Amino acid sequence: MAFTSKDVMELRQRTGVGMMDCKKALVATDGDMEAAIDFLREKGMATAAKKEARIAAEGIVFAASKNGKSVLLEVNCESDFVAGGPIFKEYVAQVADYILDNTTATVADVIAAMQPVTNEYVMKMGEKLSIRRFTVYEANDTVVDTYIHMGGKIGVMVEATSGTSAEVIHDVALQIAAANAQYVTRDEVPQAEVEHEKEILKAQAMNEDSNKPEAIIEKMLVGRINKFYKEVCLTEQVFVKNGDLTVAQYLKQNGDAKIIRFTRYAMGEGLQKREDDFAAEVMAQAHLN
């Protein structure tokens, strides 16, 4: 499998490893991006791939609520100038209103229904507009809170059990925005993901010292997989507003509130940059390495 300078740059963005080492990893894995990430992690050169590292498209994450229904959505445009302007935000608010006022199953449904409005705003702003994704929660004997960070760079929506105070659920939303949990509890982590992580961590331990007895490596794995859970599971994370508590302990102290689910969007995650942006970045990084 061949790879290009764009692939090298993407691997650097996703792992934080130098470009020469990224190139070597892609050579070693025949251009397979995910295998190259594992290769670098096994060498102890990278942590888990950053899920937000490919943030490239402009736009905003937006949240709105109405009549017990809440929506978190992302809408993209072509420039940060447009993304920060009032006309674009007016358009995004109209998209949110449509979703809240209607039963919508898919993004395609919303795009089709909003096409006349979208065309109107494209003419106003002179840029392509893209309704990318949305999630809807309906409070049904539950409590829902939304939080938008950095003017729309990150958005979070959280659902908790009835009776959870507004302050507590909002604190949890802030936690998710800051610490990027992937799951509520460790029970939600797919076993396949855990096994994959164990393979990576075992390879790391063996690369550190190939003479380590198997029993020692297994003991190391227990500690390292627990650290993995503390990174990806909301309830096991250190509470950002009080480092002496985990999120689970904070919830226990506040009515034993239970978090049912959450959604976190980072604007542009997973989207490719334009060709000219990639070329400029590759050249810039090449001069730095």
Side-chain angles (χ1 to χ4, degrees):
M1 184 187 300
F3 64 90
T4 67
S5 59
K6 290 191 294 184
D7 298 318
V8 177
M9 185 60 196
E10 179 186 341
L11 184 58
R12 176 180 171 83
Q13 289 177 314
R14 294 182 67 184
T15 64
V17 175
M19 287 187 67
M20 290 306 298
D21 287 317
C22 287
K23 183 177 179 181
K24 290 176 183 177
L26 286 166
V27 169
T29 58
D30 197 26
D32 186 315
M33 181 65 64
E34 299 305 319
I37 292 169
D38 288 347
F39 177 89
L40 291 171
R41 293 189 63 205
E42 289 170 2
K43 299 295 183 184
M45 300 172 71
T47 56
K50 301 173 184 176
K51 294 183 180 294
E52 299 174 20
R54 291 179 62 191
I55 296 178
E58 300 301 335
I60 58 172
V61 178
F62 184 84
S65 300
K66 184 187 296 185
N67 300 326
K69 187 176 179 181
S70 299
V71 62
L72 184 71
L73 73 154
E74 178 184 351
V75 181
N76 300 121
C77 57
E78 295 182 52
S79 70
D80 57 355
F81 176 78
V82 164
I87 298 177
F88 179 69
K89 292 175 182 176
E90 178 183 283
Y91 167 70
V92 176
Q94 288 195 37
V95 176
D97 279 341
Y98 176 82
I99 295 170
L100 291 172
D101 290 338
N102 295 273
T103 301
T104 52
T106 67
V107 172
D109 293 337
V110 178
I111 291 172
M114 291 294 296
Q115 197 61 58
V117 177
T118 301
N119 291 342
E120 175 189 341
Y121 278 88
V122 167
M123 292 293 292
K124 287 182 181 180
M125 291 177 279
E127 289 195 4
K128 177 182 177 181
L129 303 176
S130 175
I131 303 168
R132 187 183 180 209
R133 53 182 173 168
F134 69 88
T135 300
V136 172
Y137 288 177
E138 292 194 55
N140 185 11
D141 292 326
T142 58
V143 181
V144 175
D145 184 64
T146 60
Y147 170 66
I148 299 297
H149 185 62
M150 294 176 63
K153 296 299 184 184
I154 295 173
V156 175
M157 185 162 59
V158 186
E159 185 175 16
T161 50
S162 178
T164 303
S165 74
E167 180 182 358
V168 168
I169 192 171
H170 195 64
D171 279 346
V172 171
L174 293 174
Q175 173 81 27
I176 295 164
N180 194 16
Q182 305 297 307
Y183 308 97
V184 177
T185 67
R186 65 171 60 191
D187 293 338
E188 295 180 2
V189 184
Q191 190 58 38
E193 184 174 341
V194 174
E195 292 305 318
H196 178 70
E197 191 68 20
K198 285 180 178 178
E199 290 176 8
I200 298 296
L201 295 173
K202 185 173 183 177
Q204 282 181 2
M206 293 178 69
N207 282 330
E208 290 167 5
D209 183 356
S210 59
N211 294 319
K212 276 192 181 80
E214 186 72 19
I216 298 297
I217 289 178
E218 289 302 319
K219 287 183 179 179
M220 292 174 63
L221 276 180
V222 173
R224 293 187 180 186
I225 203 67
N226 282 332
K227 182 180 178 183
F228 163 74
Y229 282 129
K230 289 176 182 178
E231 291 173 352
V232 303
C233 299
L234 173 65
T235 55
E236 300 194 28
Q237 289 181 340
V238 174
F239 184 40
V240 294
K241 294 182 73 172
N242 183 345
D244 294 328
L245 299 174
T246 65
V247 173
Q249 290 169 332
Y250 171 70
L251 294 173
K252 186 76 173 176
Q253 290 181 3
N254 288 273
D256 201 19
K258 298 290 189 300
I259 303 303
I260 299 169
R261 56 178 173 165
F262 65 85
T263 298
R264 181 186 189 274
Y265 288 165
M267 188 279 296
E269 59 190 344
L271 292 179
Q272 287 280 10
K273 290 186 179 179
R274 294 176 300 185
E275 295 291 327
D276 54 345
D277 290 338
F278 261 117
E281 287 193 16
V282 169
M283 290 299 294
Q285 294 293 343
H287 285 98
L288 291 173
N289 288 274

